[in-house]
Amino acid sequence: MTTLFISDLHLDPERPEITALFGHFLAGEARSADALYILGDLFEAWVGDDDPSAAGALVAEKLGALANAGVRTYFIRGNRDFLLGETYAARCGMTLLDDPTHIDLYGQPTLLLHGDLLCTDDTAYQQFRTQTRDPQWQAQFLAQPLQSRLAFATQARTASKARYGELVAKGMAEIIGDVSSATVQDWFARFGVTRMIHGHTHRPAIHDEGNGNTRIVLGDWYAQGSVLRVDADGFALAALPAA
């Protein structure tokens, strides 16, 4: 059996072909998997489980069918869909996991996370992350009318793009937007694992971190799909061409 890992699909009405590709993946390869792990940013934005988007409805239908077929599905919230809750997870038949989560993956201790927690050089983002993960902040936000929350998400995306543009202009995007090497080493030691799997940075690669430790970075789904396949014999990171 094979365990599949994906992240950073950023499903959005503006890119229906990627939503269709994800549906094809769930109805195809994922049906024969032992388990599917989605490591955050499944959606470009998620303002609460009452989000009326067509993509949300389609994903719930497809993931629900996958669960009914007997494939276990797990989800770690990302920086774009950190408000995804138990109500929507139940619709999808998937289990929410903490960020990070430690698992035994075919006998190898493995740490799963979205990845933004490793980007500690971006202090402004880490402050924003701490604020928006506060239960009181989330309760106050979710109490607002749906249209107000959707407007906030639009503004946040615009601000994020503007800040990224500023970092690019200063030549800092590659540094600030990637993980901190010191933090990565610290987490390997802290959690006692030999493998780490994450997304967030959109820089798919397999890194030898020394001391027998491996860090696998999942790819995004902006132009094509990306999946990590793991079984008892090893792993492979591969692209999924758009249909």
Side-chain angles (χ1 to χ4, degrees):
M1 298 295 286
T2 301
T3 298
L4 304 176
F5 297 85
I6 59 176
S7 73
D8 299 283
L9 286 80
H10 293 270
L11 299 180
D12 188 299
E14 296 180 0
R15 295 184 302 115
E17 70 281 1
I18 297 300
T19 302
L21 177 62
F22 182 47
H24 180 75
F25 169 76
L26 294 178
E29 178 179 0
R31 288 294 183 101
S32 60
D34 181 45
L36 170 66
Y37 287 84
I38 305 172
L39 304 188
D41 284 2
L42 175 58
F43 297 100
E44 179 69 9
W46 191 260
V47 298
D49 288 358
D50 57 344
D51 190 306
S53 73
L58 177 63
V59 168
E61 175 188 344
K62 298 294 186 180
L63 282 175
L66 185 68
N68 290 335
V71 179
R72 296 169 295 154
T73 304
Y74 303 94
F75 183 78
I76 289 179
R77 300 174 181 91
N79 55 293
R80 297 299 184 96
D81 47 24
F82 61 88
L83 289 170
L84 194 150
E86 294 287 355
T87 299
Y88 185 74
R91 286 177 59 193
C92 298
M94 64 185 182
T95 301
L96 296 179
L97 301 177
D98 292 334
D99 187 7
T101 285
H102 180 289
I103 66 170
D104 183 289
L105 188 58
Y106 302 105
Q108 186 158 3
T110 302
L111 192 68
L112 309 178
L113 61 160
H114 175 56
D116 54 341
L117 282 169
L118 300 174
C119 300
T120 51
D121 291 333
D122 192 346
T123 55
Y125 169 74
Q126 293 300 332
Q127 291 172 359
F128 173 77
R129 189 187 192 283
T130 299
Q131 176 191 22
T132 55
R133 297 314 188 274
D134 180 76
Q136 184 176 357
W137 185 95
Q138 293 189 3
Q140 292 175 344
F141 180 81
L142 291 172
Q144 297 179 31
L146 176 61
Q147 290 305 316
S148 297
R149 286 179 272 138
L150 290 170
F152 176 88
T154 299
Q155 293 171 358
R157 289 168 63 183
T158 300
S160 177
K161 290 179 181 179
R163 182 168 183 269
Y164 180 75
E166 292 175 357
L167 292 175
V168 170
K170 295 177 180 178
M172 297 292 292
E174 290 296 319
I175 299 174
I176 296 296
D178 205 353
V179 302
S180 161
S181 297
T183 302
V184 168
Q185 294 300 326
D186 176 63
W187 279 43
F188 269 116
R190 185 194 313 177
F191 291 95
V193 297
T194 54
R195 179 188 289 160
M196 188 181 296
I197 302 173
H198 70 84
H200 180 65
T201 64
H202 301 187
R203 296 174 170 90
I206 298 171
H207 298 274
D208 181 352
E209 298 291 353
N211 301 314
N213 297 330
T214 302
R215 180 170 61 91
I216 305 172
V217 185
L218 305 177
D220 63 72
W221 284 52
Y222 276 118
Q224 62 185 7
S226 178
V227 60
L228 172 68
R229 304 178 179 105
V230 184
D231 60 25
D233 297 321
F235 59 85
L237 183 62
L240 295 176

